[in-house]
Amino acid sequence: MPDELLERLRRFHEQTFPGIQDQFQDLVAHGQHPHILFIGCSDSRLVPYLLTGTGPGDLFIVRNVAAFVPPHDGMLPAPSGDISPEGAYLGAARRFTGYHGTAAAIEFAVLSLQVTHIVVCGHSHCGGIRALYEGVPRGAINLEAWLDLGREAALPVQVSPEALRRTEQRAVILQLERLMGYPMVRERVESGQLALHGWHYVIEEGEVHVFDVRSGQFVPASSATHSGTGPYRDSPVFNEIDESYRPQQA
Ligand SMILES: [Zn+2]
């Protein structure tokens, strides 16, 4: 059986690389200096370089299921089962959520690379977001736990294309909020050194919809006036948006 992957590796080395060798040697000699941390879903249809017209050295990328951001201290609120009907916590209020490459990448990008933009990019037809409603395959215990980072974005409604799209967008905002829980992110956002961008990529339209905090909407890039809003946490508008994007009480 032909080894297709090996063929591709050889083709890259022999045919593609010679044309871009100078660029890579320059990036090695002078190091990487990307300005953008791109946190995107692992979905194969989301291609960050295509969307942003970028290439080698331009994006520091971390991808995971559904483009989630873990809390900086690794702690999440207790699951609802640990909360009494009156809303009081029963037992441990918070729990450790494990090791996270995504959190490490955020720290490295901000503190070492000193990126000036962080993009959180969800997308249409996201299997991770759908799994919030439909569950995960048996045995996927890590996936099940990982989805906890998006549960707050899920709506108490029957799953539908509209509900999924709204959840995909709400999840992006939730991750932006969590990013602001990283001290090095908050500090730089507040001093104007770092901008946060919430994106929802609609695969079938080939268009990114960017979050606009003033309207509380995701606006198609074709009619947007900016590439995503931030900082926003301390703006009076944010609290309204925050409320409107909170899941309804079931
Ligand atoms: Zn996805």
Side-chain angles (χ1 to χ4, degrees):
M1 203 172 80
D3 187 334
E4 192 195 334
L5 269 177
L6 181 61
E7 288 305 314
R8 286 170 185 245
L9 294 179
R10 286 178 174 162
R11 209 175 307 141
F12 170 74
H13 179 67
E14 290 161 15
Q15 297 173 20
T16 309
F17 189 68
I20 48 178
Q21 189 168 359
D22 290 350
Q23 188 180 4
F24 279 100
Q25 287 182 344
D26 193 58
L27 282 167
V28 169
H30 299 103
Q32 63 162 341
H33 303 284
H35 301 304
I36 302 170
L37 165 61
F38 187 96
I39 302 171
C41 182
S42 299
D43 193 292
S44 61
R45 299 163 295 184
L46 173 63
V47 187
Y49 295 109
L50 274 181
L51 289 185
T52 56
T54 51
D58 291 334
L59 302 176
F60 190 74
I61 297 180
V62 56
R63 300 179 69 169
N64 60 51
V65 172
F68 288 160
V69 172
H72 181 251
D73 63 2
M75 304 292 281
L76 270 186
S80 53
D82 292 348
I83 300 174
S84 74
E86 294 77 34
Y89 284 124
L90 304 171
R94 304 202 306 157
R95 66 208 156 85
F96 184 59
T97 60
Y99 297 103
H100 285 303
T102 298
I106 293 166
E107 292 179 346
F108 181 74
V110 174
L111 295 174
S112 294
L113 297 174
Q114 302 191 28
V115 296
T116 49
H117 301 267
I118 302 180
V119 173
V120 174
C121 188
H123 64 96
S124 60
H125 310 285
C126 182
I129 296 299
R130 178 175 282 275
L132 289 172
Y133 293 92
E134 299 182 349
V136 302
R138 183 188 295 269
I141 56 172
N142 290 286
L143 179 55
E144 175 74 19
W146 180 250
L147 291 180
D148 286 348
L149 297 174
R151 294 202 196 285
E152 209 182 325
L155 296 158
V157 297
Q158 288 288 326
V159 65
S160 67
E162 172 61 20
L164 288 171
R165 177 157 307 198
R166 283 187 60 207
T167 307
E168 287 158 3
Q169 295 183 342
R170 288 159 55 89
V172 168
I173 296 168
L174 184 59
Q175 311 315 315
L176 291 177
E177 287 183 36
R178 225 177 264 127
L179 267 175
M180 289 295 276
Y182 284 64
M184 67 290 294
V185 171
R186 167 176 285 278
E187 186 185 308
R188 284 167 173 75
V189 165
E190 288 178 348
S191 64
Q193 298 167 274
L194 176 63
L196 305 186
H197 308 254
W199 291 1
H200 180 249
Y201 173 50
V202 182
I203 297 172
E204 60 273 36
E205 294 172 5
E207 184 160 39
V208 168
H209 293 222
V210 304
F211 181 58
D212 175 47
V213 74
R214 291 182 208 292
S215 66
Q217 304 291 323
F218 280 79
V219 183
S222 54
S223 53
T225 54
H226 54 73
S227 59
T229 313
Y232 55 87
R233 167 68 91 157
D234 291 328
S235 85
V237 190
F238 177 81
N239 295 318
E240 283 168 40
I241 304 306
D242 199 15
E243 286 307 310
S244 70
Y245 271 84
R246 290 273 172 213
Q248 318 286 312
Q249 290 299 315

